[in-house]
Amino acid sequence: MKLIRFGAAGAEKPGVIIDDKYYDVSGLVQDYNEAFFGGNGLEKLKQDLKTASLTEIDKGVRLGPALARPSKIVCVGLNYRDHAAETNAPIPAEPILFFKATSAMVGPNDDLIIPKNSKKTDWEVELAIVIGKKASYVSEEDALNHVAGYALHNDYSEREFQIERNGQWVKGKSCDTFAPIGPFIATPDEIEDVHQLRLWLTVNGKTLQDGNTSNFIFNVPFMVSYISQFMTLLPGDVISTGTPAGVGLGQKPEPWYLKPGDVVELGIDGLGTSKQEVKAYS
């Protein structure tokens, strides 16, 4: 299945994509949240769709974040060898973990707002994992049984806040609009091989990131298992799995960053595309 949320910001309804058409399932599902994922909601919805009479939605509708605000967004830093190299960082011996505030979540095509006093707002195309079943101390062998699906995520980052202002990375990761997620969540059966997905990003039509999840340092089962050794992952939680080379921080001969008027587009095989127009804070 492909899950969407549609409608005005803050009032989104759950929907599905079937044969490239959008349908409202708000009569079957309250929302794509912890209760849904943790209550066997995916399987129940799959069964209900066999007999339900659905209302089609205009595909021009605004799409919201592909899931309701979760308990946490856990990010894995420097998880592609080429990205570690471009930032002059050593290959991590263990995953680098940090949090991204869930208040940063927006729809996949909502505007990116450059934060107040920001000079170094940067882009990062990433594969997001959505947790489907509570995960605590899970093994790598069992890890994929805890995954509800996958989504496209742009892990926007303010590099001055992140690197130059002391403290943890979360400051540079959590500004409003810094987590567009979607257009949809694809259940695992929609993805032939999660470790063979091309992911790309352009700014103003110029391709800057063009990578593949085959270049992960730590793969999906390892990441889910590893993170679950340190915290309980709840249904609906998001793991953002790192970005390939090509971020603004790594541009040669000098880094450069987003400015008002720029247009960022990105995509992952099987997970759709998204587009953010860059606006100034006001």
Side-chain angles (χ1 to χ4, degrees), residues 86-88 119-123 159 164 206 208 246-258:
E86 74 173 345
T87 58
N88 298 313
K119 298 176 183 176
K120 297 182 179 181
T121 294
D122 203 348
W123 56 86
R159 301 302 188 187
E164 302 171 36
K206 180 181 180 181
L208 296 172
V247 300
L249 178 65
Q251 295 300 307
K252 307 299 184 206
E254 296 291 336
W256 60 271
Y257 301 100
L258 295 170

Side-chain angles (χ1 to χ4, degrees), residues 191-245:
I191 304 297
E192 184 174 349
D193 184 352
V194 73
H195 299 112
Q196 291 287 340
L197 300 179
R198 178 179 177 245
L199 62 173
W200 57 268
L201 180 143
T202 69
V203 178
N204 302 329
K206 180 181 180 181
T207 299
L208 296 172
Q209 292 188 274
D210 192 351
N212 196 289
T213 57
S214 61
N215 292 319
F216 276 153
I217 296 170
F218 305 106
N219 67 21
V220 170
F222 184 88
M223 285 184 275
V224 174
S225 173
Y226 182 87
I227 295 168
S228 80
Q229 309 305 309
F230 303 98
M231 67 194 80
T232 295
L233 293 166
L234 297 176
D237 280 355
V238 172
I239 300 172
S240 200
T241 59
T243 198

